[in-house]
Amino acid sequence: MNNPFVIQDLNCRKDIGANCLLIQVGPFRLVVDSGMDPKHLGNDSLPNFSLLGDQPIDFIILTHSHLDHIGTLPILSKKAPKAPILVSIPTSLLAPLMLNNSYSVMCRQKKEKEIPEYPLFTKADVLALEKRFFTLNFGQSYTLAKEGHSAKITMYPAGHVLGAVSVLIEYEGRQLFITGDILFSDQNSLRGAQIPQLDHLDVLMLETTRGSTERTALRRNEEKRLLSIIRKTIERGGACLIPAFALGRIQELLVLMYNAKRSHQLPNCPIFCSGLGMSLINTFDEMGKKLRSVNFSRHILKQLNIKQLRRSKIDPHTTRLKRPAIYLLSSGMLAEHTPAYNIAACLLGDSDNSICFVGHCDPTTPGGQLLQNRNAETFTFEESHFTAPIKASIEHFDLSGHADRNDLYQFAVLQHPKAVVLTHGDPDARQWFADQFAKNASGLKVLDPEVGVPYNL
Ligand SMILES: [Zn+2]
Ligand SMILES: [Zn+2]
């Protein structure tokens, strides 16, 4: 039997965007992920669902609960009303929280940005989804059966973020493996990916997020550098803002700070937190009790003396923030209308303070703009109508939840696939992998698929 897999990228753009992949394998039609493109608004942020056609979908599989992978699931699920949704146990708990938060953001943006189609779904839609979740343990397989054929699906822990999985699809002796977003090295709060050596891999679908980034420092060294900046800031009486993604990054930084406190590497000062990151804490705590791969317990909040930051009334024109203090706040890219955005505005004009970015900042976001212009004289927070001189120290740390390109390349080569499909990356990131494979693994088929085009593999 030749080429049993047909894959079709339903993302509208060839970038990280709204992840959604249609896979046909024998008589089965599967959709992996249903993301929302964070760089676009309204209907522009959806995958191209029209490419699904009229044929029924047998199964939806989610790799993890970041919105670029699940943000449009309530919409897809209505187009595939009978398809069970295969997820890991942590994802079954996190996805509804993430989607309900997304609903609230869309309701706000409907007025602020005048987007009539918002919200794209309701809380009742999210509730309906939960009944359709079919949970699998890591390493556990599920067999689909139809028309005398069967396909087996197995999920393996992918590191990256709580609940993230890589997916192996086996059909009549053929194997297709999807890395999803993946990190091989351990984080403080989560073990790295645990992927077995596959014996006859036909197709490897490889995420390429960091293909255009050369790692310049080890994760452990970056953590030490961050702790050192925090210490220096607090010692001179300043405030340190760490804007971080709500899902995964906030919890990872809490564990990092807790470990530092136990070894006297973190000075005593109030730590303020707020936002979605804190709403997810209970799930991290619950999974910390159940899964050996998760190192998180809510008791560290008490040990760190975490205080909830009251969301309202932070206005850079009038607010005087408590100092010295650490502000660990959701919105890794300083999105407008978040406490992180307003607190950055409050802190920027004083050289005692520091702003520490710990993840990727898209250049179009306020965080990305601030990083790009950190050597300028002033910076304007447009949404607050506030311009400040750039005096605080602005730092960027490489603490990504994605594997770096050399680790991913090594992984791909060692799995000996017959074909590699490049996904989840900007064009230059994909190109780095294409060049590496062409140079060092000639004979390996490498596909950088065009969006919307079906490929037989
Ligand atoms: Zn992710
Ligand atoms: Zn992603």
Side-chain angles (χ1 to χ4, degrees):
M1 181 185 54
N2 288 319
N3 301 343
F5 301 109
V6 182
I7 61 145
Q8 195 172 359
D9 184 356
L10 304 190
N11 197 346
C12 291
R13 288 162 283 263
K14 202 170 174 176
D15 57 12
I16 292 175
N19 290 279
C20 190
L21 179 72
L22 175 63
I23 300 178
Q24 300 189 47
V25 44
F28 303 100
R29 296 181 91 227
L30 315 172
V31 176
V32 180
D33 288 341
S34 184
M36 182 181 274
D37 191 331
K39 285 197 210 168
H40 292 86
L41 293 167
N43 290 331
D44 275 354
S45 65
L46 269 63
N48 187 352
F49 287 132
S50 68
L51 295 172
L52 287 172
D54 301 329
Q55 302 273 66
I57 303 295
D58 296 294
F59 251 92
I60 298 168
I61 302 170
L62 302 182
T63 59
H64 64 291
S65 43
H66 278 145
L67 287 179
D68 60 322
H69 296 261
I70 63 155
T72 56
L73 180 64
I75 302 163
L76 171 68
S77 70
K78 285 187 187 165
K79 296 181 189 296
K82 296 216 169 105
I85 304 166
L86 210 58
V87 290
S88 69
I89 292 167
T91 297
S92 73
L93 302 172
L94 291 167
L97 300 174
M98 295 297 287
L99 289 168
N100 280 330
N101 186 263
S102 172
Y103 165 80
S104 304
V105 172
M106 285 190 284
C107 289
R108 201 183 68 212
Q109 289 180 331
K110 182 184 182 73
K111 288 183 216 138
E112 280 166 9
K113 306 208 173 192
E114 294 175 25
I115 304 168
E117 63 265 37
Y118 273 174
L120 297 172
F121 53 83
T122 65
K123 287 198 170 189
D125 294 334
V126 178
L127 197 63
L129 276 180
E130 293 181 54
K131 299 188 182 87
R132 292 174 51 186
F133 283 155
F134 188 96
T135 56
L136 274 188
N137 289 315
F138 296 135
Q140 191 188 352
S141 298
Y142 181 85
T143 302
L144 316 179
K146 185 178 177 183
E147 298 167 12
H149 296 272
S150 67
K152 194 164 89 172
I153 295 168
T154 314
M155 291 178 162
Y156 296 101
H160 182 58
V161 76
L162 178 59
V165 293
S166 299
V167 181
L168 175 65
I169 300 172
E170 294 173 277
Y171 178 74
E172 299 186 351
R174 301 300 182 105
Q175 293 184 325
L176 179 145
F177 188 84
I178 303 162
T179 62
D181 292 7
I182 190 166
L183 176 63
F184 298 103
S185 46
D186 290 346
Q187 301 178 65
N188 293 284
S189 57
L190 185 66
R191 242 169 97 181
Q194 304 288 308
I195 312 295
Q197 178 68 47
L198 300 167
D199 47 7
H200 57 280
L201 184 57
D202 294 278
V203 182
L204 171 63
M205 302 204 62
L206 192 68
E207 74 124 314
T208 60
T209 311
R210 284 166 59 85
S212 56
T213 315
E214 168 124 48
R215 176 172 276 285
T216 52
L218 291 173
R219 176 174 287 270
R220 292 287 168 235
N221 291 344
E222 287 294 83
E223 291 175 356
K224 280 186 196 155
R225 191 164 70 86
L226 171 62
L227 290 167
S228 158
I229 295 284
I230 294 174
R231 271 197 306 275
K232 284 181 191 153
T233 307
I234 301 305
E235 279 161 13
R236 63 180 179 243
C240 180
L241 167 65
I242 310 171
F245 294 110
L247 173 56
R249 298 290 90 202
I250 290 266
Q251 299 79 15
E252 168 68 9
L253 284 153
L254 285 170
V255 179
L256 173 69
M257 289 202 281
Y258 173 66
N259 292 344
K261 181 150 193 162
R262 289 208 311 170
S263 56
H264 310 290
Q265 301 291 305
L266 190 76
N268 268 330
C269 72
I271 302 174
F272 292 94
C273 294
S274 80
L276 176 61
M278 297 308 280
S279 314
L280 304 174
I281 289 286
N282 285 344
T283 307
F284 276 74
D285 180 64
E286 189 182 335
M287 289 297 106
K289 290 188 182 104
K290 286 193 179 139
L291 300 173
R292 269 188 304 163
S293 56
V294 181
N295 174 32
F296 191 91
S297 161
R298 63 174 304 121
H299 92 267
I300 69 172
L301 300 186
K302 218 172 185 178
Q303 303 291 323
L304 284 168
N305 194 16
I306 299 291
K307 299 180 189 313
Q308 279 279 352
L309 182 76
R310 272 193 282 137
R311 211 190 144 84
S312 56
K313 293 189 194 128
I314 301 165
D315 178 350
H317 298 93
T318 54
T319 304
R320 292 195 64 81
L321 288 174
K322 187 168 173 51
R323 300 192 322 173
I326 299 168
Y327 294 86
L328 173 61
L329 304 175
S330 307
S331 186
M333 301 192 197
L334 292 185
E336 292 97 342
H337 300 285
T338 61
Y341 179 87
N342 288 321
I343 284 184
C346 294
L347 297 186
L348 192 62
D350 187 329
S351 58
D352 285 344
N353 300 328
S354 55
I355 301 174
C356 298
F357 293 94
V358 290
H360 171 70
C361 272
D362 189 88
T364 60
T365 61
Q369 289 286 309
L370 181 56
L371 269 170
Q372 271 184 347
N373 296 298
R374 59 179 147 176
N375 296 321
E377 292 282 306
T378 60
F379 185 81
T380 298
F381 293 83
E382 307 274 355
E383 190 248 332
S384 306
H385 309 290
F386 184 76
T387 298
I390 301 182
K391 292 198 172 158
S393 85
I394 299 169
E395 304 281 342
H396 198 189
F397 301 87
D398 187 353
L399 294 170
S400 170
H402 292 268
D404 69 57
R405 60 190 190 180
N406 292 316
D407 287 354
L408 263 178
Y409 175 76
Q410 282 304 324
F411 168 78
V413 168
L414 291 173
Q415 289 290 356
H416 302 297
K418 294 195 181 79
V420 173
V421 181
L422 306 174
T423 62
H424 199 279
D426 291 330
D428 54 343
R430 295 170 190 234
Q431 193 58 49
W432 182 87
F433 281 96
D435 292 345
Q436 284 299 109
F437 287 121
K439 237 190 291 168
N440 303 317
S442 56
L444 175 66
K445 182 178 174 185
V446 179
L447 176 68
D448 184 5
E450 295 305 321
V451 294
V453 177
Y455 291 89
N456 245 273
L457 293 162

